[in-house]
Amino acid sequence: MTAPIMLGLHLLLGIAGGIAVGGGVIALFIVLDMVPRLAQLTSSYDKVHWYEGAMVGGSLIGTVSDFWGWKIAAGPVAELVVGLLNGIFIGMLAAALTEVLNVLPILAKRLRMTRYLFGLLMAMVCGKVAGSLFDWFVYQQ
């Protein structure tokens, strides 16, 4: 294939992959009701647009910085602040996921699979661990 066709194909695949991943992340945030729940817990319904803008802006800046390999020469205090903000975000995401996990017992009850609920959860955990180990030891090599 010629270089312009390959470039066009790479651009098309890159944009399609970005739209798919971005759509998945936004769908996760919508399903977990992260923004409305945050506004409810902090009693700041009038600032919902700021929360949404911060999420979109953070995603955009993070993507661009990763894509272009930006590096910031900052001291340990800046690393502490960034780590704290990342921890807050991951903690909120984990809290939202625990609320969603209440769906599993209801689904198991409706499907008459309550005796298999522990096995279902263990299969999810083992699949996540196996996928992580594969990524670390095989795929990253």
Side-chain angles (χ1 to χ4, degrees):
M1 290 184 151
T2 62
I5 294 175
M6 288 300 293
L7 178 64
L9 184 62
H10 285 158
L11 283 173
L12 179 68
L13 290 176
I15 290 171
I19 289 172
V21 170
V25 169
I26 295 303
L28 177 70
F29 288 151
I30 289 171
V31 166
L32 295 179
D33 282 337
M34 285 184 67
V35 174
R37 184 78 171 134
L38 180 64
Q40 178 186 13
L41 291 175
T42 59
S43 299
S44 58
Y45 292 106
D46 56 332
K47 306 224 178 352
V48 168
H49 296 295
W50 284 96
Y51 296 143
E52 293 170 349
M55 289 175 69
V56 170
S59 296
L60 181 64
I61 290 171
T63 300
V64 169
S65 69
D66 184 46
F67 186 68
W68 285 328
W70 289 352
K71 299 207 182 331
I72 298 174
V77 174
E79 291 176 2
L80 182 70
V81 170
V82 170
L84 179 66
L85 292 175
N86 282 334
I88 289 171
F89 175 75
I90 297 299
M92 288 177 52
L93 189 60
L97 280 172
T98 57
E99 288 185 15
V100 168
L101 281 180
N102 289 336
V103 170
L104 289 178
I106 295 170
L107 182 64
K109 184 177 179 183
R110 290 210 178 158
L111 295 176
R112 295 185 181 108
M113 294 180 61
T114 51
R115 5 183 271 216
Y116 305 114
L117 184 59
F118 181 73
L120 178 65
L121 289 174
M122 289 308 296
M124 290 175 153
V125 168
C126 291
K128 183 67 177 171
V129 169
S132 296
L133 291 174
F134 176 80
D135 182 53
W136 289 337
F137 294 124
V138 176
Y139 188 71
Q140 295 289 332
Q141 296 286 323

